[in-house]
Amino acid sequence: MRRSRGAAALLALSLTATGAGLGLALAPQAAAITPPVAFTADALSTWQPNGVVWALAEAGGQVFAGGTFSTVRPPAGGSGSERQAVNFVALDAATGAPTSCELSFTVASGTATVRALALSPDKSTLYAGGYFGAVNGTAVSSLVAVDVASCTVKTAFRPAFAATVRALAVTGDTVYAGGDFLTVAGQPRGRFAAVGATDGALKPFTADADEPGRAVEVTPDGQNVVLGGDFFTVNGANTHALAVVDASSGALTKAYPGFIETNSVVKDVATDDTGFYTANEGTGGGVFDGRIALDLPGFGQRWRDTCLGATQAVLPYRQVLYSASHAHDCSSVGEFPDGQRHHLLAQPTTGTGKLGWAPDTNDGIGEGIGPRVMTVGSKNGVEYLWVGGEFTTVNGAAQQSLTRFASTGDTGAPTVPVASAVSFRPGEVQVRWRTSLDLDDSALTYKVYRNGAATPIATVTADSLFFKRPQASWTDTTVAAGQSYTYRVTATDAAGNTSALSATASVTVPTTVDGYPNQVRADGATQYWRYDESALPFVADSSAGGNRAGVHLNAPALRQTPGAVSGTGTAIGFNGTDTQVYGDHRQSVGSTYSIETWFRTNTTRGGKLFGFGNNQSRGSNQYDKHIYMTNSGRLVYGVYTGATRTVTTATAYNDNAWHHVVATQGPGGMTLYVDGVQKGTLAVTTHENFSGYWHAGGDSLGGWPDRPTSEYWAGQLDESAVYPTVLSAAQVQNHYALATAPADSVVQVTAAEDTYANAGAPGTNYGTSSSLAVRGTSFYASYLRFDLPAAPAGTVLKAATLGVRTSTMSGAGTTDTVSVVPVTGAWSESGTTYTNRPALGAPALGAYPGIPDGSAVHTATLTTGSVAAALGGSLGLALTSPGTDALWLWSSEAQAAEGTPRLTLTFGAP
């Protein structure tokens, strides 16, 4: 349903890396930051004005800043003391410290300000425009020329502007100006004018606009001038906010009637060899706040970026367009939805897609705009992107009005990945993590470490952006059934900066298939949230490769027990006020789909269980394909087709018991199931078509029938899944049956007795040794006894594995096959020697096909029937091998054994 103007959301298409085994390779990176970005996102220390910086320019390793301020001070922790700087300061491009050039811009009445700075093509002359009447005591009139070498006013340059100059562009012989003025040197000139670069004499150029000029730029060929501002006409012709005029006469070359919305103005124009770019700011509904690229020649639109958030400045540099704004909604170009403000962005000059560069400021003082101007300076072979404005923080640290970013020296490490691991079947572990944030690197390398090893078991490359942090995953297919593993993940950028290790993700590989989640995956779920996480904010996607993770909002309650599926997993709890989970993957929903979840509640205020909306952390403006509960506890499944279309249960389900709900739509219409039973259908095959995100636990419900008191869900959810197909009635019933069937139970039994026999010491007993040994020649054999439980009532033994741990001794592993055989003779831990060792039976119950060096747990699957016969009694096992390569293991007496030798028994329904 559409509540108001649509705000779409996060584009989560990414180069998400998945793989199996160890065969993932690292993609090479050629630079310390991800190309084509030219600057790091690490803010450098810079002297700070006490007001707003409106203008920047660079020459000879100096950066000139103009604005509305009276002093500059050292950066936090820097040396020096505050000094006077009246609306102007010159700073060293490499250090950010003031140079010897000092100019004071003043006015007899009102507030003086510098609004524009521009350099002559040879960078010998600095032109400054604004509202001022004197510079270092020399009388001027809102536009001045300064000799860069001597830092003195050029008195021969004597233009006379009657009001504020807001924009400048300079050629070899001409200075073009835009602003608020209506006359220059007493002659009519409406908001745009041109004067001689040497003497300031007024030129014939006439491009009269009806509202202020804010931007002026000469095209690279020098033939035309691009004008930007608030105007609606130029020289009487209809052209709002943007126009191209002849560089000599000011005659209109290209008008743009109706091209830019009437409530939007052009704040800045910049050019490169291929075209020019606008920065737009607007007010009110239907506003244009973004950026436009126009080609040369022809001046036609190349692309339009319709992000919302008052763009103040644009700077094309090496095929990247850097912009200053407070962009808060880029849903219209398939990126982030309405929400947090982002003040510095980069995108290729060829399109709207944002690149991996996103340092940030705050809105700051004054109008609350943030950054307003940018320039590039260089010194000693290093380039610096300088940013000025009215901000008071940069990347969260105090820094006012000026900051800079270098082309070298990337020091910022990616954020720590949030990792988890899960196993649904023997021989397979899915390790997954939320990709990290790095403000100047979108392509990151992830290393996966298993069981605390110093060498990674896998390397994965994946892309992420500040608004797009998808799940990445890797599948370990070298795991053994019944064995426990731990995994940790790091993220590294192209400069080699590496995050800390993630928190440990632990998992035990089952000895049999976990029926319910395995079936959800087999039936084609492309998003599957199981809610088993123990830490915020990442909700892992357990589907087979979908990587459509979720994000916790406002800290829902984690690891609620019991979960919905018998014997496994945990649920998530929502407070009915502001907690939810929203998708981290922007997507569209096709004409066929199914949504499935489990729920438990006793609420009388209703709420949305699960649904699709166009926003993430804010309430959506478009929303349907959802399941919600009324105050009375009935379930409603609805879509929007221009009107709300719903299927509602006759029964209430707010009885504080777990229930299963599935909603499907396809060529056969809409169907709602509860607890495996069809509860209603509707012959509706369409829904609202928009891009958005899945939500669990809450989102908008305005305009829907039987709207509950709360749009947020108060209760628990579990096992939420989305499918691109219509689940059949048989599939729904099978899911319900699998979830409610008696769960498998796992029992681990440590050895009650263990020892070994040694042919080299035939009379010695090793019952108290911390080691066990196995070899064919000369002979070692190890003996293990386990006291087994009886099978739980109604179950049988489904699987058995034997786990042993190699010792830390050098060469403890073996290349020989080690067999697990039954012991048929009598023996005891304290009495067994080589001489009286017990007899062994056949056939072998299992085997280890060689064990590598290094202390680790290794498992062997045992013949189920042989172990089952010993349940409720004692089971004797021996480890033997035919070769000469000895295997050394920890015994149960060893502190490092960690519960080995150990039998893992899995019991389940017959």
Side-chain angles (χ1 to χ4, degrees):
M1 180 179 186
R2 184 183 300 270
R3 183 164 63 188
S4 61
R5 180 186 60 79
L10 172 68
L11 177 64
L13 297 175
S14 70
L15 299 179
T16 302
T18 59
L22 307 180
L24 293 166
L26 169 63
Q29 294 296 317
I33 46 183
T34 302
V37 171
F39 304 98
T40 80
D42 302 322
L44 300 177
S45 61
T46 307
W47 279 57
Q48 302 165 38
N50 64 345
V52 179
V53 171
W54 295 97
L56 291 170
E58 183 271 345
Q62 288 189 97
V63 170
F64 308 108
T68 311
F69 50 86
S70 59
T71 65
V72 292
R73 64 186 184 275
S79 60
S81 57
E82 187 174 68
R83 63 178 67 179
Q84 180 176 283
V86 182
N87 301 313
F88 178 88
V89 65
L91 302 165
D92 186 284
T95 67
T99 69
S100 60
C101 180
E102 297 183 4
L103 299 172
S104 178
F105 288 73
T106 58
V107 69
S109 62
T111 302
T113 183
V114 175
R115 292 301 181 104
L117 294 171
L119 287 151
S120 59
D122 63 3
K123 293 195 173 185
S124 66
T125 303
L126 172 68
Y127 297 90
Y131 178 69
F132 46 84
V135 177
N136 284 2
T138 299
V140 293
S141 185
S142 294
L143 180 61
V144 66
V146 176
D147 180 72
V148 171
S150 63
C151 191
T152 58
V153 175
K154 288 189 171 184
T155 56
F157 182 80
R158 301 287 294 177
F161 282 79
T164 303
V165 173
R166 298 183 179 275
L168 294 172
V170 184
T171 66
D173 60 2
T174 305
V175 177
Y176 296 93
D180 301 348
F181 51 86
L182 297 176
T183 63
V184 180
Q187 300 298 311
R189 289 294 187 273
R191 279 88 180 198
F192 293 99
V195 298
T198 302
D199 57 8
L202 185 64
K203 291 201 168 192
F205 175 92
T206 302
D208 289 340
D210 61 333
E211 295 289 345
R214 298 184 180 273
V216 58
E217 191 74 32
V218 181
T219 56
D221 62 6
Q223 299 301 304
N224 292 282
V225 178
V226 183
L227 311 179
D230 301 3
F231 51 82
F232 291 86
T233 64
V234 173
N235 290 338
N238 180 16
T239 181
H240 173 54
L242 184 66
V244 182
V245 298
D246 181 80
S248 297
S249 67
L252 199 62
T253 301
K254 172 77 173 178
Y256 293 90
F259 183 67
I260 293 174
E261 287 79 351
T262 58
N263 55 352
S264 178
V265 302
V266 170
K267 299 296 291 288
D268 188 26
V269 174
T271 64
D272 62 13
D273 290 339
T274 67
F276 63 93
Y277 309 86
T278 73
N280 281 70
E281 174 184 283
T283 56
V287 69
F288 174 56
D289 252 355
R291 294 155 289 282
I292 303 173
L294 298 105
D295 286 321
L296 294 174
F299 311 114
Q301 179 173 293
R302 181 189 309 164
W303 51 256
R304 180 178 294 221
D305 185 337
T306 53
C307 287
L308 297 175
T311 307
Q312 302 298 304
V314 285
L315 175 65
Y317 184 75
R318 294 186 179 178
Q319 291 78 55
V320 173
L321 184 69
Y322 299 89
S323 59
S325 68
H326 55 251
H328 58 87
D329 184 354
C330 286
S331 57
S332 60
V333 291
E335 296 172 335
F336 51 89
D338 194 15
Q340 179 183 345
R341 290 184 168 193
H342 304 281
H343 296 85
L344 294 169
L345 299 174
Q347 61 199 91
T349 54
T350 55
T352 63
K354 305 306 177 291
L355 298 171
W357 184 82
D360 204 16
T361 72
N362 64 355
D363 288 343
I365 58 178
E367 296 179 47
I369 293 292
R372 289 186 174 273
V373 64
M374 299 179 290
T375 195
V376 174
S378 62
K379 190 171 183 180
N380 300 328
V382 179
E383 295 154 331
Y384 300 91
L385 175 63
W386 281 70
V387 178
E390 58 190 73
F391 48 85
T392 58
T393 66
V394 180
N395 292 342
Q399 189 160 331
Q400 184 172 352
S401 300
L402 279 173
T403 189
R404 59 201 174 95
F405 306 94
S407 59
T408 61
D410 180 13
T411 60
T415 59
V416 180
V418 179
S420 66
V422 68
S423 181
F424 300 115
R425 62 180 69 194
E428 183 177 295
V429 168
Q430 183 192 51
V431 185
R432 58 274 175 99
W433 59 93
R434 189 185 190 199
T435 48
S436 297
L437 174 62
D438 190 301
L439 295 178
D440 48 30
D441 288 280
S442 56
L444 299 176
T445 300
Y446 299 89
K447 293 181 179 180
V448 182
Y449 297 86
R450 188 173 77 179
N451 291 346
T455 302
I457 192 173
T459 300
V460 177
T461 58
D463 278 4
S464 57
L465 295 169
F466 63 96
F467 63 91
K468 183 172 64 176
R469 295 176 58 191
Q471 174 176 295
S473 62
W474 172 75
T475 300
D476 188 351
T477 57
T478 65
V479 294
Q483 186 168 321
S484 296
Y485 297 86
T486 61
Y487 298 88
R488 302 182 79 179
V489 182
T490 63
T492 302
D493 67 15
N497 301 306
T498 301
S499 74
L501 284 162
S502 70
T504 299
S506 301
V507 64
T508 298
V509 182
T511 54
T512 59
V513 171
D514 194 348
Y516 182 87
N518 188 69
Q519 194 62 51
V520 170
R521 288 159 56 95
D523 284 342
T526 52
Q527 178 178 298
Y528 183 20
W529 297 344
R530 302 204 71 200
Y531 308 118
D532 293 334
E533 290 75 28
S534 57
L536 301 169
F538 173 58
V539 180
D541 177 13
S542 295
S543 69
N547 283 325
R548 297 178 177 182
V551 179
H552 297 114
L553 179 65
N554 294 324
L558 306 183
R559 300 196 63 79
Q560 302 290 288
T561 56
V565 177
S566 179
T568 63
T570 60
I572 189 169
F574 299 98
N575 63 12
T577 303
D578 62 359
T579 56
Q580 64 162 291
V581 171
Y582 61 81
D584 211 7
H585 177 87
R586 185 174 184 267
Q587 58 187 291
S588 298
V589 179
S591 59
T592 61
Y593 64 90
S594 300
I595 52 180
E596 174 180 33
T597 195
W598 287 78
F599 67 93
R600 182 171 72 171
T601 188
N602 60 2
T603 185
T604 57
R605 301 179 71 248
K608 183 179 290 192
L609 284 72
F610 199 84
F612 195 70
N614 71 324
N615 216 317
Q616 289 182 298
S617 59
R618 297 188 179 187
S620 295
N621 296 320
Q622 293 173 267
Y623 40 93
D624 77 335
K625 298 174 282 294
H626 52 206
I627 301 167
Y628 63 92
M629 179 174 279
T630 68
N631 288 349
S632 64
R634 294 181 300 150
L635 294 176
V636 181
Y637 163 42
V639 300
Y640 186 69
T641 61
T644 57
R645 309 301 300 273
T646 59
V647 179
T648 304
T649 66
T651 304
Y653 294 95
N654 55 346
D655 56 1
N656 213 31
W658 279 111
H659 295 283
H660 177 234
V661 59
V662 176
T664 70
Q665 187 178 30
M670 300 165 60
T671 305
L672 178 64
Y673 301 87
V674 181
D675 294 338
V677 178
Q678 185 185 111
K679 295 297 182 180
T681 62
L682 190 64
V684 174
T685 60
T686 61
H687 53 77
E688 190 171 12
N689 185 20
F690 61 93
S691 296
Y693 310 84
W694 290 105
H695 294 252
D699 196 15
S700 303
L701 279 170
W704 284 83
D706 293 320
R707 181 185 179 184
T709 301
S710 175
E711 294 181 334
Y712 288 87
W713 170 252
Q716 295 176 330
L717 294 179
D718 202 2
E719 308 290 336
S720 300
V722 179
Y723 305 80
T725 59
V726 173
L727 292 179
S728 68
Q731 287 175 306
V732 172
Q733 292 161 6
N734 185 39
H735 288 197
Y736 180 69
L738 286 170
T740 55
D744 289 353
S745 60
V746 176
V747 178
Q748 293 186 329
V749 184
T750 56
E753 293 186 281
D754 57 3
T755 189
Y756 75 96
N758 177 5
T764 301
N765 171 259
Y766 295 94
T768 60
S769 172
S770 62
S771 297
L772 299 172
V774 182
R775 186 172 61 196
T777 307
S778 62
F779 180 87
Y780 296 137
S782 291
Y783 306 93
L784 317 171
R785 188 193 314 279
F786 297 91
D787 295 329
L788 304 185
T795 69
V796 297
L797 183 68
K798 298 178 69 175
T801 60
L802 174 64
V804 295
R805 186 178 186 94
T806 43
S807 75
T808 54
M809 169 189 309
S810 177
T814 181
T815 58
D816 297 330
T817 296
V818 175
S819 297
V820 183
V821 298
V823 177
T824 58
W827 67 281
S828 69
E829 180 180 88
S830 60
T832 297
T833 65
Y834 175 80
T835 302
N836 66 2
R837 66 189 185 279
L840 306 180
L845 306 185
Y848 299 90
I851 293 178
D853 291 343
S855 183
V857 175
H858 300 274
T859 60
T861 300
L862 305 185
T863 305
T864 304
S866 299
V867 178
L871 292 175
S874 178
L875 175 66
L877 301 173
L879 302 179
T880 65
S881 73
T884 59
D885 188 8
L887 170 68
W888 289 92
L889 306 172
W890 291 123
S891 76
S892 59
E893 282 81 8
Q895 184 176 0
E898 297 178 358
T900 60
R902 175 176 59 223
L903 273 179
T904 300
L905 309 176
T906 302
F907 298 96

